[in-house]
């Protein structure tokens, strides 16, 4: 069976390309390829363009890892089948919802490893579990019957995800310090809700700057609109990458 090794990226900045326009997505990927560490394609893009659209974007930036953010959440057998279906795209990262429960998490992890073996892919997709969406706060959780505060719910879901085979979790940057303190350096921490100091929050409620999130222990920093909505996406990506690099140099000094 394919060996599961912890993923770490030299450049932690992943650009979230959220559009239904495959041509625009490819152009954005090409424009920022020299500054980012990977590309994230999500449900909006995948539903409009399918696997062929993903391949087209990958061709525009062939050296960048793919984060396929489809947030699978269904019965275990269905999720396993979905993981097998997207495995030929060779994503480095693949998301499920931690709230799908232990059996679903195990099914996703096992399907990723089995599909990689069958396809001859050396490193299976790292299955990472979404804990609490960064668009939700404590009031939102209460409205759907989940126990707050949000940080406690993230901790519970992370416990479940890691205990049943997830390589890591997707969490808000504000939860990083607590999760690293509890689970150590090994689990992969994928962090959306990243906003440069001069950027609008949009619909994100639990946010942090790129430098702050990296310092707190993020392995992957997901940045969308501050790059893709900028007048010059290439310049915006380079500026954010530079901010992260400068913070890391300062921290190492």
């Amino acid at each position: 069976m394919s060996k599961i090794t912890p993923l770490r990226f030299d450049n932690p900045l992943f650009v979230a390309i959220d559009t239904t326009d495959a041509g625009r997505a490819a152009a954005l990927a090409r424009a920022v390829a020299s500054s980012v560490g990977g590309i994230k394609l999500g449900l909006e893009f995948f539903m409009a363009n399918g696997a062929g659209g993903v391949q087209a974007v990958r061709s525009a930036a062939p050296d960048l890892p793919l984060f396929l953010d489809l947030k699978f959440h269904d019965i275990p057998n269905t999720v396993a089948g979905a993981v097998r279906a997207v495995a030929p795209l060779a994503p480095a990262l693949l998301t499920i919802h931690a709230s799908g429960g232990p059996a679903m998490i195990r099914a996703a992890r096992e399907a990723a490893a089995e599909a990689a073996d069958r396809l001859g892919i050396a490193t299976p997709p790292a299955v990472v579990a979404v804990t609490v969406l960064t668009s939700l706060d404590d009031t939102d959780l209460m409205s759907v019957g989940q126990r707050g505060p949000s940080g406690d719910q993230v901790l519970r879901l992370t416990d479940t995800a890691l205990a049943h085979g997830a390589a890591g979790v997707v969490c808000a940057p504000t939860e990083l310090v607590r999760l690293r303190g509890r689970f150590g350096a090994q689990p992969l921490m994928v962090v959306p809700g990243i906003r440069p100091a001069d950027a609008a929050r949009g619909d994100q409620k639990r946010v942090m700057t790129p430098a702050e999130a990296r310092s707190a222990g993020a392995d992957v920093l997901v940045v969308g609109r501050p790059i893709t909505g900028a007048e010059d996406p290439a310049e915006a990506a380079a500026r954010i990458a530079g901010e992260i690099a400068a913070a890391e140099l300062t921290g190492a000094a």
Side-chain angles (χ1 to χ4, degrees), residues 71-74 96-102 104-105 129-133 146 153 156-158 160-161:
K71 298 184 178 72
F72 294 141
H73 189 175
D74 213 306
I96 61 173
H97 270 288
S99 54
M104 192 203 80
I105 295 165
V130 177
T131 53
V132 175
L133 296 170
Q146 294 189 24
Q153 179 68 352
R156 287 189 290 269
L157 290 171
T158 300
T160 298

Side-chain angles (χ1 to χ4, degrees), residues 4 7-8 109 125-129 161-162 165-169 186-189:
I4 304 298
L7 279 175
R8 292 296 181 266
R109 159 68 175 77
V127 174
V128 291
L162 298 181
V169 296
Q186 186 75 0
L188 197 66
M189 297 288 170

Side-chain angles (χ1 to χ4, degrees), residues 68-93:
L68 198 54
D69 184 22
L70 301 181
K71 298 184 178 72
F72 294 141
H73 189 175
D74 213 306
I75 64 171
N77 186 63
T78 297
V79 167
V83 171
R84 286 191 290 268
V86 299
L89 296 171
L93 302 172

Side-chain angles (χ1 to χ4, degrees), residues 11-174:
N11 182 345
L13 178 59
F14 275 53
V15 60
I17 302 179
D18 297 318
T19 177
T20 58
D21 185 332
R24 171 166 167 72
L28 283 167
R30 191 177 298 110
V32 304
S34 63
S35 296
V36 303
I39 295 169
K40 182 179 89 72
L41 294 174
L43 193 60
E44 179 181 5
F45 180 87
F46 194 82
M47 293 304 293
N49 300 284
V54 174
Q55 294 286 26
V57 175
R58 297 203 76 176
S59 295
D63 296 329
L64 291 180
L66 171 66
F67 176 7
L68 198 54
D69 184 22
L70 301 181
K71 298 184 178 72
F72 294 141
H73 189 175
D74 213 306
I75 64 171
N77 186 63
T78 297
V79 167
V83 171
R84 286 191 290 268
V86 299
L89 296 171
L93 302 172
L94 182 64
T95 50
I96 61 173
H97 270 288
S99 54
M104 192 203 80
I105 295 165
R106 288 194 301 270
R109 159 68 175 77
E110 290 165 4
E114 291 163 2
D117 276 342
R118 174 171 47 83
L119 296 167
I121 298 171
T123 303
V127 174
V128 291
V130 177
T131 53
V132 175
L133 296 170
T134 54
S135 59
L136 302 178
D137 59 17
D138 293 350
T139 301
D140 298 317
L141 286 180
M142 289 176 62
S143 73
V144 296
Q146 294 189 24
R147 285 185 292 154
S150 59
D152 290 348
Q153 179 68 352
V154 168
L155 194 66
R156 287 189 290 269
L157 290 171
T158 300
D159 258 324
T160 298
L162 298 181
H164 295 281
V169 296
V170 180
C171 65
T174 51

Side-chain angles (χ1 to χ4, degrees), residues 235-246:
E235 186 278 332
R239 177 165 38 84
I240 294 170
E243 178 183 335
I244 297 167

